[in-house]
Amino acid sequence: MTQSLTIRRPDDWHLHLRDGAMLAGVLPESARDFARAIVMPNLVPPVVTGAEAAAYRDRILAALPEGARFAPLMTLYLTERTDPEDVARAHAAGLVTAVKLYPAGATTNSASGVTDFDKVRGVLDRMAEIGCPLCVHGEVVDPEIDIFDREAVFIDRVLDPIRRAVPGLKVVMEHITTADGVDYVRSAEAGLGATITTHHLIITRNHILVGGIKPHYYCLPVAKRARHRDALVAAATSGDARFFLGTDSAPHADPAKECACGCAGVFSATNTLSCLAEVFERAGALDRLEAFTSLNGPAFYGLPPNDDRITLIRGAAPVAYPARIETGAGPVTLFDPGFDLHWRVAR
Ligand code: DOR
Ligand code: ZN
């Protein structure tokens, strides 16, 4: 059995870092293992303009622990008032790596998102021209649509029409949770990729609902049935360059999750690589872990992979992680995969 695995340093292609005391608390957890991360813009208020992204990037860099090497790749939050030229300037300056589309009301802090997709057409056309990718939260918000079907319906109603209308646009389907998402990405000719989270490779909806409601497994898109989880594992472990890691690690202080109307989000930055090594090992695909965590994402974004490497070591005894981390914004419970973790990153 493989006891150690050296791979290029991973990147996280979908991460929530928040701001202020929460940022200070969670940033070291990502900076420890990851070289770069696509940083989500759903702050309150959201990061909409190039100037706001510059200020947010400065706050992230200021919050980095001494000696950390971590590059935040900034995104802009697409609104119906977004100025295509502001996006183009921020992208040309290297300040902004991608633009994020949240359907209005789809998830945490998405109230300023898009309702009328025709109103963002000018921005999408400009992004296609300049090669700026669109990261998509792929769920419809139609109250008639069952929450477990919202991703599949989004593909037909919104994503496919957008991709047909703006054929040159590079699109990342963020945090896919269904076999439908996997199939759609596989069917695309070019210019479409997908991130997959750590937790969606592990949990199903049973984890959330069986034996009592488990708020720390609740996120959006919500985890689906096992058949979908298994399709995600097959995609991630296949080596297919269109699938790459985006943890969607999304911290909320415990009281905001453990209540009558708990927030969506799973915090997995701390133990993601241990979890992934376990998933890939079980799938007999440890040799493809590096593609998923460290190669496919940069290739999609047109960036070089990281030069430095990390080594994962398999120990006989399970690795002990804390149940939660303490931050200045309160305790944040760490994702519990529900099985022992044997792999850890050598320090
Ligand atoms: O579970 C989620 N949490 N899904 C999202 O799309 C947003 C995120 C958050 O910001 O907490
Ligand atoms: Zn997210």
Side-chain angles (χ1 to χ4, degrees):
M1 186 186 285
T2 309
Q3 298 298 317
S4 102
L5 180 68
T6 297
I7 60 173
R8 286 189 187 254
R9 196 157 179 237
D11 301 304
D12 186 347
W13 299 95
H14 182 127
L15 176 64
H16 297 268
L17 286 174
R18 316 298 191 206
D19 215 343
M22 184 63 91
L23 168 64
V26 299
L27 181 60
E29 303 301 302
S30 286
R32 197 176 295 135
D33 292 335
F34 295 94
R36 298 170 287 197
I38 287 273
V39 179
M40 287 297 125
N42 64 332
L43 305 181
V44 191
V47 179
V48 173
T49 65
E52 288 161 0
Y56 185 31
R57 184 173 67 175
D58 289 347
R59 297 198 295 279
I60 296 169
L61 294 175
L64 274 173
E66 195 67 30
R69 284 168 305 138
F70 176 82
L73 306 177
M74 308 308 291
T75 60
L76 294 181
Y77 186 115
L78 182 62
T79 75
E80 293 176 7
R81 289 160 307 285
T82 294
D83 172 7
E85 291 318 308
D86 184 56
V87 173
R89 272 192 304 274
H91 185 256
L95 170 65
V96 154
T97 302
V99 171
K100 176 73 190 259
L101 166 65
Y102 287 103
T107 186
T108 314
N109 305 334
S110 65
S112 334
V114 177
T115 305
D116 179 353
F117 289 88
D118 289 337
K119 294 204 175 129
V120 297
R121 180 64 194 275
V123 183
L124 300 183
D125 285 339
R126 193 80 177 96
M127 288 167 59
E129 265 170 45
I130 62 177
C132 177
L134 180 71
C135 297
V136 177
H137 183 109
E139 288 190 287
V140 291
V141 292
D142 182 345
E144 296 295 308
I145 304 295
D146 189 277
I147 191 165
F148 291 101
D149 299 332
R150 288 180 172 196
E151 181 172 298
V153 173
F154 182 88
I155 295 170
D156 293 337
R157 280 197 196 168
V158 183
L159 184 56
D160 199 57
I162 287 180
R163 294 190 54 249
R164 284 175 198 278
V166 193
L169 184 65
K170 257 183 157 175
V171 176
V172 185
M173 260 189 101
E174 300 287 8
H175 42 52
I176 55 170
T177 58
T178 58
D180 311 70
V182 169
D183 291 346
Y184 183 68
V185 172
R186 285 209 178 109
S187 74
E189 305 258 303
L192 181 64
T195 56
I196 304 179
T197 76
T198 306
H199 51 284
H200 287 119
L201 291 172
I202 294 171
I203 65 168
T204 71
R205 60 197 198 176
N206 279 17
H207 287 75
I208 311 170
L209 296 170
V210 172
I213 192 157
K214 314 285 192 335
H216 294 291
Y217 289 132
Y218 172 62
C219 66
L220 289 171
V222 71
K224 310 297 192 295
R225 55 171 74 238
R227 163 174 94 75
H228 294 292
R229 189 262 325 265
D230 297 347
L232 298 174
V233 172
T237 59
S238 69
D240 186 327
R242 292 170 291 193
F243 300 101
F244 41 93
L245 174 64
T247 65
D248 198 11
S249 183
H252 293 276
D254 284 348
K257 293 207 45 94
E258 299 168 1
C259 58
C261 184
C263 294
V266 168
F267 175 71
S268 63
T270 310
N271 61 358
T272 269
L273 292 175
S274 292
C275 292
L276 290 175
E278 206 80 30
V279 168
F280 276 67
E281 180 178 54
R282 288 172 180 206
L286 268 178
D287 56 330
R288 303 203 184 116
L289 180 64
E290 183 181 42
F292 183 67
T293 60
S294 316
L295 301 176
N296 297 349
F300 184 89
Y301 276 92
L303 297 168
N306 298 305
D307 280 332
D308 53 337
R309 283 160 170 83
I310 61 161
T311 296
L312 287 148
I313 297 169
R314 191 186 205 289
V319 189
Y321 281 102
R324 59 193 60 79
I325 66 159
E326 299 299 331
T327 78
V332 176
T333 290
L334 180 61
F335 173 59
D336 174 4
F339 47 72
D340 285 345
L341 298 171
H342 298 94
W343 290 90
R344 64 182 170 80
V345 180
R347 308 274 174 217

